[in-house]
Amino acid sequence: MTAFTAERRHNRLTAGMRWLVVATLVVFGSLVADRPASAAGALIAASANANAGLSACSTSRGKELYNCVADVLDRLNNEIAPIRVPEAQRALQTASARLRAANSKAEALSAISQAQAAIAGAIRQAKAAPGATQDTGRGLSAIVGVLARAAKLIQAKG
């Protein structure tokens, strides 16, 4: 074996070991990540998806719009289900059902505003809980933002 081949093999081994160390750090880092921060991140990501869904609803009007927004809220509710935020899930589920039943802009806006109020209450509770951090409620605030955007859409096109 030449010196060049031995050096090449050593370089490959060293690169492989670096990769293994980095992969190990990533795996263990994700396992010990702070759950509230990851939950907030997941809620924010789900809210971003919902905002994109609301963009697709912007071509609809009236009952078709209410159903489209209800579909978006149902998808958001499904995305956040693993995070276990029961207040937000109940609020989204109720808003979705009320939107499907709405026959007027006022009924649709009422469904959205009740969901916003319920989630705002959950945010206040989360911030008041022992051990609450400044980031507590960030993910829920993102959901309130989705509902605010839905209300604007309904107000404009409902």
Side-chain angles (χ1 to χ4, degrees):
M1 181 183 302
T2 66
F4 179 73
T5 307
E7 183 180 330
R8 197 173 193 190
R9 180 175 288 162
H10 174 72
N11 286 344
R12 270 195 242 149
L13 182 62
T14 303
M17 291 301 287
R18 274 188 247 139
W19 181 87
L20 181 62
V21 168
V22 169
T24 303
L25 289 173
V26 167
V27 168
F28 283 115
S30 66
L31 292 177
V32 296
D34 187 26
R35 188 190 180 304
S38 64
L43 291 172
I44 291 168
S47 296
N49 290 340
N51 275 319
L54 287 176
S55 294
C57 294
S58 65
T59 59
S60 304
R61 293 191 171 280
K63 187 69 175 163
E64 186 181 338
L65 173 62
Y66 310 153
N67 287 333
C68 184
V69 172
D71 289 343
V72 169
L73 296 183
D74 284 339
R75 281 192 302 274
L76 175 59
N77 197 15
N78 289 337
E79 279 190 58
I80 68 169
I83 301 164
R84 295 188 188 107
V85 283
E87 304 86 3
Q89 289 176 277
R90 267 191 305 276
L92 291 171
Q93 190 173 31
T94 302
S96 174
R98 290 190 63 216
L99 279 167
R100 291 184 199 290
N103 291 311
S104 69
K105 182 190 292 191
E107 290 174 349
L109 288 171
S110 174
I112 298 294
S113 67
Q114 285 184 355
Q116 286 174 310
I119 296 173
I123 292 170
R124 283 190 297 276
Q125 282 183 328
K127 287 183 178 179
T133 66
Q134 283 187 333
D135 287 341
T136 304
R138 271 186 2 176
L140 292 176
S141 294
I143 293 173
V144 170
V146 169
L147 293 168
R149 181 157 184 234
K152 285 181 187 175
L153 188 59
I154 291 169
Q155 186 66 41
K157 299 207 172 227

